[in-house]
Amino acid sequence: MSAAHDHGHSHGHSHAPASFNRAFAIGIALNLAFVAIEAWYGWKVNSLALLADAGHNLSDVAGLVLAWGGALAGRLRPNARHTYGWQRASILAAFFNALLLLMAMGSLAWEAVGRLGTPEATEGWTIIAVAGVGIAVNTATALLFMRGRKGDLNVRGAFLHMAADALVSLGVVMGGALYLWQGWAWIDPVMSLAIAVVIVLGTWSLFRQSLHLLFDGVPERVDLAAVRALLMALPGVADVHDLHVWAMGTSDTALTAHLVLADPAADADALMHEAEHELHEHFEIRHVTLQLESPGFALQCRLRAGAGCS
């Protein structure tokens, strides 16, 4: 029986290039300043819609920080104590950010429902002016990431998030205009409820995905059945078992698998090269570890109960 071959390869992580450090810094600074302005005026004119949008824009800051942090964490080299580095910190941060934001929006929605029964007057022009600044800030931030949105998942997420938030600020402007036009005092809590719903819908996906990844779930962009089919289709591969795919962080995916060779004398290097290339091209999986086995060894591996082979 031929000996099993174990190959482990680590490649570059999918993170924002250094040229986007300035874009992240400017975007975070702009949005933090706007959050402070919007929260102050929301409190001053008693506008829940402005306060809701301030909460939304604070989540944008957190999202930008997470994206930037993920890019920087990908550059931290693994060591003897942390052999994968610190990439999982980005998943933890995303989870806790989503959890806190869901709680905040629940509290805001409760307050908004209470105000529907006793609507209070607000200042329409102030709401329009402040939310108008929000449109400008979110649009400007989105433009900072426009050129990199097709080549990097982190940058693309930042771009889409900021572009969507420009539309949310537009909704607040519309609410202020309706208040000035019709004098509907109830429009402010209604708009704040609508914004809270938008935030919860967006945040729920982040919460669900981050929780899934925390428990080593297969990333949503990876079809495990398709990965297995790809490995089975490699020349000289008779079977695949002990296949695992998980997220090392929010931007890097790892894979381990046992490949059973029909011919133990096959060219292992050529097979490894093709497997890594195909997994990278089709699934953006860069951290690949494959064990090549003879049919006899594979049979023993499968029968070894509790040994982690399946």
Side-chain angles (χ1 to χ4, degrees), residues 124-211:
W125 284 116
T126 301
I127 293 174
I128 291 173
V130 175
V133 173
I135 296 174
V137 168
N138 288 318
T139 301
T141 307
L143 291 175
L144 290 172
F145 300 102
M146 178 174 283
R147 69 183 175 88
R149 71 188 189 281
K150 294 182 179 178
D152 187 280
L153 291 177
N154 269 338
V155 175
R156 182 171 181 268
F159 170 78
L160 292 176
H161 200 162
M162 302 312 302
D165 294 338
L167 295 178
V168 174
S169 293
L170 179 61
V172 177
V173 169
M174 293 172 60
L178 284 172
Y179 176 76
L180 288 173
W181 178 40
Q182 295 289 345
W184 295 332
W186 51 264
I187 197 67
D188 184 74
V190 167
M191 289 303 296
S192 66
L193 272 174
I195 293 169
V197 169
V198 170
I199 297 171
V200 167
L201 290 176
T203 305
W204 183 254
S205 175
L206 177 65
F207 175 79
R208 180 177 54 81
Q209 290 182 41
S210 59
L211 182 62

Side-chain angles (χ1 to χ4, degrees), residues 95-139:
F95 173 74
F96 285 113
N97 176 50
L99 188 63
L100 289 172
L101 193 55
L102 287 172
M103 293 170 63
M105 288 303 102
S107 175
L108 182 69
W110 181 265
E111 176 69 17
V113 169
R115 283 207 186 184
L116 278 174
T118 55
E120 301 177 20
T122 186
E123 298 180 22
W125 284 116
T126 301
I127 293 174
I128 291 173
V130 175
V133 173
I135 296 174
V137 168
N138 288 318
T139 301

Side-chain angles (χ1 to χ4, degrees), residues 5-296:
H5 301 278
D6 198 25
H7 301 257
H9 299 268
S10 295
H11 301 268
H13 305 302
S14 175
H15 53 66
S19 60
F20 281 97
N21 282 340
R22 186 179 179 187
F24 278 120
I26 293 173
I28 290 169
L30 280 175
N31 280 272
L32 270 178
F34 178 61
V35 165
I37 293 170
E38 193 169 34
W40 164 254
Y41 278 102
W43 171 77
K44 186 176 181 181
V45 304
N46 201 31
S47 171
L48 272 181
L50 280 181
L51 290 173
D53 199 38
H56 195 186
N57 283 286
L58 187 59
S59 77
D60 301 339
V61 174
L64 289 173
V65 169
L66 286 171
W68 197 9
L72 297 176
R75 300 189 184 104
L76 294 178
R77 298 183 65 84
N79 55 39
R81 293 286 293 169
H82 299 92
T83 56
Y84 275 139
W86 294 85
Q87 297 180 71
R88 184 153 293 210
S90 60
I91 301 176
L92 278 168
F95 173 74
F96 285 113
N97 176 50
L99 188 63
L100 289 172
L101 193 55
L102 287 172
M103 293 170 63
M105 288 303 102
S107 175
L108 182 69
W110 181 265
E111 176 69 17
V113 169
R115 283 207 186 184
L116 278 174
T118 55
E120 301 177 20
T122 186
E123 298 180 22
W125 284 116
T126 301
I127 293 174
I128 291 173
V130 175
V133 173
I135 296 174
V137 168
N138 288 318
T139 301
T141 307
L143 291 175
L144 290 172
F145 300 102
M146 178 174 283
R147 69 183 175 88
R149 71 188 189 281
K150 294 182 179 178
D152 187 280
L153 291 177
N154 269 338
V155 175
R156 182 171 181 268
F159 170 78
L160 292 176
H161 200 162
M162 302 312 302
D165 294 338
L167 295 178
V168 174
S169 293
L170 179 61
V172 177
V173 169
M174 293 172 60
L178 284 172
Y179 176 76
L180 288 173
W181 178 40
Q182 295 289 345
W184 295 332
W186 51 264
I187 197 67
D188 184 74
V190 167
M191 289 303 296
S192 66
L193 272 174
I195 293 169
V197 169
V198 170
I199 297 171
V200 167
L201 290 176
T203 305
W204 183 254
S205 175
L206 177 65
F207 175 79
R208 180 177 54 81
Q209 290 182 41
S210 59
L211 182 62
H212 176 72
L213 295 182
L214 278 175
F215 287 92
D216 289 328
V218 178
E220 290 193 351
R221 68 177 181 275
V222 177
D223 182 343
L224 192 64
V227 170
R228 183 181 294 277
L230 183 151
L231 294 174
M232 285 290 295
L234 293 171
V237 174
D239 197 10
V240 176
H241 65 100
D242 202 34
L243 172 61
H244 301 283
V245 178
W246 71 98
M248 298 171 65
T250 54
S251 61
D252 202 14
T253 304
L255 174 148
T256 63
H258 292 201
L259 305 184
V260 183
L261 303 181
D263 178 10
D267 187 342
D269 289 342
L271 176 59
M272 288 295 302
H273 177 76
E274 183 172 355
E276 290 185 346
H277 174 75
E278 292 296 315
L279 289 168
H280 182 194
E281 284 294 310
H282 295 284
F283 302 103
E284 286 292 319
I285 299 175
R286 290 180 169 83
H287 192 106
V288 176
T289 304
L290 298 174
Q291 178 167 301
L292 309 183
E293 302 173 349
S294 69

